[in-house]
Structure formats: C-alpha cells, structure tokens
C-alpha cells in the first residue's frame, strides 16, 4: 500500500492541535474551579483512536 504522506501528516497535525486545545481548555477549567486537572496521559490515550482513524481516512481518501 502506497501512503500519501502530505494528507496523512496534515490530518495528524490537525488531530494533534485539537488534542492540545482540549488539554488546554480542560486544564484551565479545572484550575478555575480548584479541581485537579485530568492530566495529559488521559487526554492523549483518548485521542489515539482519533489519530488512528484520521490517518486511516487520509490514506483512504
């Protein structure tokens, strides 16, 4: 299977930016209310499925 790299990298970058935005928003919200943040590991592990699906979609389109 030949991988088309520009869409693959673009899709992964968009997904990574969305995960970073979710992490920042969650941390700010938690600190605002005095709760401990969920942590980066939980958000990354939840986003791995999204990254995998995004990479698959980029290669199938």
């Amino acid at each position: 299977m030949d991988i088309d790299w520009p869409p693959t990298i673009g899709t992964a970058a968009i997904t990574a930016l969305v995960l970073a935005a979710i992490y920042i928003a969650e941390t700010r919200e938690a600190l605002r209310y005095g709760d401990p943040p969920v942590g980066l590991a939980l958000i990354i592990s939840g986003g791995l499925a999204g990254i995998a699906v995004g990479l698959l979609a980029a290669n199938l389109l």
Side-chain angles (χ1 to χ4, degrees):
M1 176 169 90
D2 188 28
I3 297 176
D4 191 12
W5 284 107
T8 302
I9 293 170
T11 303
I14 291 169
T15 306
L17 287 174
V18 169
L19 286 175
I22 290 171
Y23 174 71
I24 291 168
E26 193 280 324
T27 301
R28 287 185 55 156
E29 189 76 11
L31 294 175
R32 191 170 105 183
Y33 288 108
D35 297 333
V38 170
L40 188 58
L42 184 60
I43 292 174
I44 289 176
S45 66
L48 286 177
I51 291 172
V53 169
L55 292 174
L56 180 64
N59 285 305
L60 293 178
L61 296 176

